[in-house]
Amino acid sequence: GGLVRRAAYLKQQRIKHENNLLLDSGDLLPPYVSSQLADAVFNTYELLNYDAVGIGDQDISYTDFVKNMDTFKIPFLSSNMNYCEGDACRFLTPHEKIIEKPNLKIKILSTIHPDVFVLYPEKITEKLKILDVEGTLTDIRKDCDLVILISHSGAEIDKTIAEKYKGIDVIVGGHSQTLLEEPLKIGDTLIVQAGENAQNIGKLVLKFDENKKIILHSYEITPLTKTIPDDPQVRTLVDDYKKKIIKK
């Protein structure tokens, strides 16, 4: 199903759920991707109107990713990844994102674990500095009602984060490609993850009380099968990419 059906599904759901957030935990690209495929994927993501997108190790393995980040109309977010050239280090994105919905102020953070780069050569990792999440995830509820962490760390690390750092309402996980049929609940934190290779999409619906506390949630994983039609605009992008590859 991939992005072609994901686009169609999202259009349907946005009609049903006006107050929505669309989040992705990263690895938009396969490892060591060609520039043609990277362009096709990024052009598609621009059409999907994400609110925040984490950065995965596979995205960093694309040699032009950092150089071209400012040209992507995609809201990448990374709270603990620095990119260093010599002694000069900088964050690749803003540290956090604040989104306001009716009567709700939402803080979104995005972290990655250093272990996800363990199999990558030095030419990929030498300029990266992954900061400890302690500074990022401590005292995070200030000036917000809901905290969402996009985590590119794997399901086991997400459990550890939920146990150690209080105040996170939802963790949208990635990297381990774990399919969670139901959210994991650790303390007051819900952990969700939708599997691998764009085969599924996950939907978490939250209900709040008058004190802006989560009192109810519902959750479903939807396989992107042929029951969902192709989105015409994204199908055209995919077909154009295929034609370029055949021609090449």
Side-chain angles (χ1 to χ4, degrees):
L3 297 176
V4 183
R5 293 181 189 145
R6 186 190 301 181
Y9 174 91
L10 290 173
K11 287 179 180 177
Q12 298 168 0
Q13 293 300 315
R14 280 176 164 139
I15 294 171
K16 295 179 181 179
H17 303 282
E18 182 179 355
N19 292 318
N20 60 76
L21 290 176
L22 181 59
L23 309 173
D24 194 297
S25 58
D27 279 355
L28 282 58
L29 305 175
Y32 307 108
V33 67
S34 68
S35 59
Q36 292 93 341
L37 180 54
D39 287 344
V41 171
F42 290 143
N43 288 339
T44 301
Y45 264 79
E46 288 178 3
L47 293 176
L48 298 184
N49 267 336
Y50 272 79
D51 291 288
V53 176
I55 298 174
D57 52 291
Q58 293 177 188
D59 307 319
I60 291 289
S61 76
Y62 173 45
T63 54
D64 291 333
F65 180 78
V66 173
K67 181 175 69 174
N68 292 337
M69 272 196 71
D70 291 341
T71 68
F72 306 141
K73 297 175 183 177
I74 301 170
F76 285 110
L77 184 64
S78 177
S79 304
N80 73 323
M81 182 190 296
N82 273 3
Y83 186 78
C84 303
E85 295 178 288
D87 294 330
C89 295
R90 60 183 175 89
F91 280 107
L92 291 175
T93 74
H95 179 77
E96 63 184 32
K97 186 169 186 178
I98 302 295
I99 295 178
E100 297 201 35
K101 296 290 184 179
N103 300 314
L104 202 67
K105 189 173 183 180
I106 303 162
K107 179 184 291 185
I108 304 175
L109 301 165
S110 179
T111 59
I112 191 168
H113 195 278
D115 286 356
V116 305
F117 293 101
V118 68
L119 297 179
Y120 285 89
E122 187 178 352
K123 67 178 182 179
I124 299 293
T125 61
E126 61 184 351
K127 293 185 177 182
L128 297 179
K129 182 179 180 181
I130 310 301
L131 307 179
D132 193 301
V133 298
E134 179 81 26
T136 301
L137 300 181
T138 301
D139 192 25
I140 54 176
R141 293 207 68 89
K142 185 178 179 181
D143 299 327
C144 68
D145 304 307
L146 182 75
V147 175
I148 300 174
L149 174 65
I150 298 172
S151 171
H152 196 87
S153 306
E156 293 304 313
I157 297 295
D158 290 344
K159 294 176 188 176
T160 301
I161 288 173
E163 290 168 353
K164 184 174 181 181
Y165 299 99
K166 307 307 177 185
I168 303 172
D169 295 291
V170 179
I171 296 177
V172 178
H175 182 67
S176 59
Q177 302 183 357
T178 305
L179 178 58
L180 294 177
E181 299 283 1
E182 294 293 336
L184 293 176
K185 188 167 186 182
I186 297 180
D188 293 325
T189 303
L190 298 170
I191 302 174
V192 296
Q193 195 175 155
E196 61 182 355
N197 296 332
Q199 294 175 6
N200 310 293
I201 191 163
K203 180 174 73 172
L204 177 67
V205 181
L206 303 176
K207 183 177 180 180
F208 300 85
D209 66 14
E210 64 275 8
N211 296 315
K212 302 180 183 180
K213 300 296 182 183
I214 299 172
I215 55 172
L216 196 65
H217 72 268
S218 64
Y219 177 76
E220 64 182 38
I221 294 288
T222 299
L224 297 173
T225 62
K226 291 181 180 179
T227 59
I228 299 170
D230 286 359
D231 178 84
Q233 194 174 11
V234 177
R235 171 51 64 194
T236 298
L237 283 176
V238 172
D239 290 345
D240 288 347
Y241 162 71
K242 289 180 178 179
K243 289 175 185 175
K244 289 178 184 176
I245 295 301
I246 293 169
K247 185 176 180 181
K248 185 178 180 181

